[in-house]
């Protein structure tokens, strides 16, 4: 679906250079300059639609992003992304969507070096199933074990619950707001809390 090197082209790095970025101190609750990776694992399309809505939300805030499904993701892409939003559903018996099966089986089989990565995660599921949000929870655990730092606690969505989805878009808006404010008022510096 995606050509090789699509993420490296977006961040201006030649494809094939897979060295991890240096670890940066934790910044505040805001997107950093540079593109946001929106990674989507969907079986029946709900997470895909939400990923597009999130991309549109970022575009309206003047923030560049790239939506990628988990088939196009691998360790090297995550090791060169500094910020990402993950939208991940669960299917079958607590399993990843088909498009994330290889990622789950291979990339998640061992931890990665993701201390530079800040992320938000939306886990989609249905409490009617035994393993609620099984894949989203496993992905979150793997990201944390790999050193990535969550901007906010994982948001879990039960059967497309509107309140949970509102929380997601509110969190994205909160991350985007300081970027938009700085763009609109570039001479104002942020005051220390
Ligand atoms: C066949 C099937 C199996 C599912 N299995 C689970 C499950 O094990 N755990 C869970 O929390 N949700 C489960 N769900 C619910 C989906 O995760 C939920 O409907 C989600 O919104 C689908 O998102 P998607 O369209 O992006 O795949 C299942 C749904 C279907 C249709």
């Amino acid at each position: 679906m995606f050509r090789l090197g699509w993420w490296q082209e977006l961040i201006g790095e030649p494809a094939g250079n897979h060295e991890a970025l240096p670890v940066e101190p934790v910044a505040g609750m805001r997107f950093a300059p540079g593109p946001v990776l929106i990674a989507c694992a969907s079986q029946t399309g709900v997470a895909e639609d939400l990923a597009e809505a999130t991309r549109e939300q970022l575009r309206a805030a003047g923030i560049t992003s790239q939506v990628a499904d988990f088939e196009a993701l691998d360790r090297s892409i995550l090791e060169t992304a500094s910020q990402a939003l993950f939208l991940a559903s669960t299917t079958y018996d607590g399993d990843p969507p088909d498009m994330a099966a290889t990622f789950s089986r291979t990339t998640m089989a061992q931890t990665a070096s993701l201390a530079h990565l800040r992320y938000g995660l939306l886990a989609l599921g249905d409490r009617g199933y035994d393993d609620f949000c099984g894949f989203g929870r496993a992905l979150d655990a793997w990201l944390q074990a790999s050193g990535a730092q969550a901007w906010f606690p994982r948001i879990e969505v039960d059967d497309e619950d509107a309140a949970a989805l509102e929380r997601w878009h509110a969190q994205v808006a909160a991350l985007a707001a300081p970027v938009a404010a700085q763009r609109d008022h570039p001479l104002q510096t942020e005051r220390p809390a």
Side-chain angles (χ1 to χ4, degrees):
M1 183 174 181
F2 291 88
R3 67 196 179 285
L4 200 64
W6 57 270
W7 176 251
Q8 283 82 1
E9 280 177 27
L10 187 68
I11 63 173
E13 180 182 298
N17 180 356
H18 293 160
E19 274 183 34
L21 296 175
V23 177
E24 289 180 355
V26 177
M29 264 287 293
R30 55 172 294 166
F31 289 118
V36 178
L37 174 64
I38 301 176
C40 164
S42 181
Q43 186 73 12
T44 57
V46 177
E48 244 160 18
D49 290 347
L50 287 166
E52 274 306 317
T54 303
R55 188 190 64 79
E56 181 53 31
Q57 186 181 0
L58 293 187
R59 193 201 60 73
I63 295 169
T64 306
S65 65
Q66 170 84 50
V67 176
D69 69 41
F70 266 62
E71 250 161 16
L73 269 199
D74 60 21
R75 175 179 305 263
S76 67
I77 287 171
L78 293 182
E79 287 181 348
T80 54
S82 60
Q83 49 192 349
L85 296 171
F86 295 93
L87 299 93
S89 77
T90 295
T91 192
Y92 306 122
D93 293 317
D95 297 309
D98 291 341
M99 64 169 66
T102 302
F103 184 93
S104 172
R105 200 176 51 249
T106 58
T107 304
M108 287 170 62
Q110 50 190 333
T111 55
S113 300
L114 303 181
H116 60 281
L117 179 66
R118 300 220 70 189
Y119 74 97
L121 194 154
L122 186 73
L124 298 136
D126 187 326
R127 289 195 186 277
Y129 291 88
D130 285 343
D131 194 355
F132 178 57
C133 287
F135 178 59
R137 290 177 179 179
L139 176 63
D140 200 16
W142 177 78
L143 286 165
Q144 287 181 31
S146 298
Q149 299 168 67
W151 277 303
F152 50 85
R154 175 184 69 245
I155 296 176
E156 296 184 341
V157 186
D158 179 18
D159 192 19
E160 300 182 48
D161 171 51
L165 296 177
E166 262 177 44
R167 281 213 316 284
W168 170 256
H169 289 296
Q171 288 285 11
V172 172
L175 290 166
V179 180
Q182 199 160 31
R183 187 190 58 235
D184 297 341
H185 306 283
L187 296 179
Q188 281 180 12
T189 51
E190 285 176 43
R191 291 186 187 171

